[in-house]
Amino acid sequence: MELHALHAFVKVVQTGSFTRAAEALSTQKAHVSRVVSQLERELGVRLLERTTRALSLTEIGREFFEQAVGILASVDEAQRTVQRAQGEPRGTLKLTCGVEFGMIAVSRWISTYLERHPQVQVDCELTGRLVDLVHEGFDLAIRLGTLADSTLAARRLGELRYGLFGAPAYLQRRGSPGHPRELPEHALLAFAGGSAPAAWTLGRGAASERVVLQPRLKASNVFVVRDAAVAGMGLAQLPWVVATDACAAGQLVPVLPDWQPPAVPVHAVFASARYLPPTVRAYIDLAAAAMQAATAAEPLPADS
C-alpha cells in the first residue's frame, strides 16, 4: 500500500467526487479512479459505493478512512518536524473563514503572510458554512463569536469592536440621539443574518440598554449596511474596521460614542494544540499581531 493511494482515497472522500479530488490533486479523474480501485483490490474490500449521482463510504470504508486520515496526519507531522527544525514555514496552508471577515481582514493577512514566507502557498475558502476541519483537510479556521464546545483547539486573536454611525447629512436632517432610548425614533440599518431578531445591546459602564429594532433596512451583509449609512439612509451599528475609512473621509461620524455595543471575540481554530506546524503557527502569530494593531488604532470611547 502506497501513501499516494491513501492520499487519493482520502481526497475523494473529503471532496465527494473523483472529479473534484483530481482537481485538488492536479491530476486526471481516470488516474484517481484507477488508484482507488487498485487500493480496493489490494485490500480485498469495497471502500466506496459508487452511483451515478453520489459516492458514499461503506462501513469498512468509513473505518479505513479514519485510519487513513490518521496515517497521513502522522506523515505530515513527521515532515513538518523536519521543517520546524529548518525554521522557515513551507508547504500549503489550507484555511477557512466567513465571507465578510475574510474580506475585512483575512485577505490582508494572507497577502502579508505570503510576502513574509515565500516558500508557502495558501488555499483559502471563504464560506458561511461551518467547516469540518479534520474531515475536510483544513489546517486552520478563523471564527467570530463564542466558540461551541469542541475537540478542536483554539487561540484568541483579539476582538472585533463595534460602534454606531451615521452620515453627517442624516444627522443634520434628523438630529443625533442623546440616549439609546431615542434610537427607535430614527431610521435604523441593521445587520442580521437569517431570521435572527434585529436588536442592539449598548453598554456604558454598569448600565446596559437593549433596543428592539424595527429597522428600515435589515441585511445579512455588513457592507450593504455600511453603504446605506454612507448614503444617509439611517443609523448603523458597524465594526470599527469597516467604518474607519468612511469616518476618515467624513462620510460617517460616530453616534452615541459613550455607549458601546459588545465586542465580538475572534479565534483561530485548529486541530490540535499539541503540535502546530510552522505554516499554521506563523499565520496565527501574524493574525494576532494584526488584530492587536488594528484595535490599538481604533479610537477609545473617551476619545470619540
Side-chain angles (χ1 to χ4, degrees):
M1 185 188 308
E2 298 184 4
L3 284 177
H4 82 277
L6 289 182
H7 196 196
F9 168 68
V10 167
K11 191 61 66 176
V12 169
V13 175
Q14 289 174 339
T15 61
S17 82
F18 285 98
T19 299
R20 288 191 290 270
E23 291 173 353
L25 296 170
S26 301
T27 187
Q28 299 297 315
K29 174 185 175 182
H31 173 72
V32 175
S33 179
R34 184 168 58 252
V35 168
V36 173
S37 295
Q38 183 176 344
L39 177 62
E40 289 178 317
R41 287 194 299 271
E42 182 179 345
L43 294 172
V45 296
R46 180 173 291 277
L47 301 172
L48 295 168
E49 293 291 353
R50 302 161 174 82
T51 69
T52 56
R53 293 187 176 182
L55 291 173
S56 62
L57 283 166
T58 63
E59 183 176 352
I60 189 64
R62 184 172 293 105
E63 294 180 12
F64 185 77
F65 171 74
E66 297 291 344
Q67 294 292 327
V69 169
I71 291 170
L72 293 176
S74 296
V75 172
D76 286 344
E77 182 172 342
Q79 293 174 336
R80 287 164 175 170
T81 298
V82 176
Q83 294 174 8
R84 181 171 54 184
Q86 294 173 334
E88 176 65 21
R90 65 187 67 201
T92 299
L93 173 69
K94 188 173 182 181
L95 69 92
T96 182
C97 181
V99 176
E100 291 185 356
F101 193 69
M103 297 171 64
I104 292 169
V106 172
S107 61
R108 293 199 298 271
W109 299 347
I110 290 173
S111 297
T112 303
Y113 178 73
L114 291 172
E115 182 179 1
R116 289 184 184 177
H117 305 291
Q119 298 184 77
V120 300
Q121 300 83 43
V122 172
D123 181 354
C124 178
E125 179 176 337
L126 301 183
T127 178
R129 68 185 181 87
L130 187 63
V131 172
D132 186 327
L133 296 187
V134 175
H135 286 85
E136 297 185 53
F138 282 85
D139 300 303
L140 178 66
I142 306 298
R143 291 179 177 164
L144 275 62
T146 303
L147 296 177
D149 291 338
S150 172
T151 58
L152 300 174
R155 174 178 166 187
R156 184 183 173 102
L157 301 177
E159 60 184 22
L160 199 60
R161 291 204 305 120
Y162 285 73
L164 294 182
F165 302 91
Y170 174 86
L171 297 173
Q172 184 176 11
R173 185 172 73 249
R174 295 288 302 272
S176 183
H179 191 278
R181 287 191 294 269
E182 300 174 21
L183 288 173
E185 302 171 9
H186 285 263
L188 302 178
L189 315 172
F191 169 79
S195 59
W200 291 341
T201 300
L202 304 173
R204 184 178 65 180
S208 179
E209 293 282 341
R210 186 174 187 272
V211 182
V212 178
L213 310 174
Q214 293 183 332
R216 186 178 184 193
L217 169 68
K218 182 173 75 170
S220 61
N221 185 289
V222 71
F223 297 106
V224 173
V225 177
R226 180 201 59 189
D227 291 348
V230 168
M233 296 297 101
L235 305 180
Q237 180 174 292
L238 299 168
W240 265 101
V241 69
V242 172
T244 296
D245 288 346
C247 288
Q251 298 172 315
L252 292 176
V253 295
V255 175
L256 293 173
D258 292 337
W259 289 87
Q260 297 299 302
V264 175
V266 181
H267 290 89
V269 180
F270 40 94
S272 172
R274 183 176 63 86
Y275 173 73
L276 272 182
T279 50
V280 177
R281 185 182 301 278
Y283 189 88
I284 292 174
D285 289 345
L286 183 155
M291 284 287 297
Q292 183 177 6
T295 301
E298 294 168 2
L300 297 174
D303 297 331
S304 299

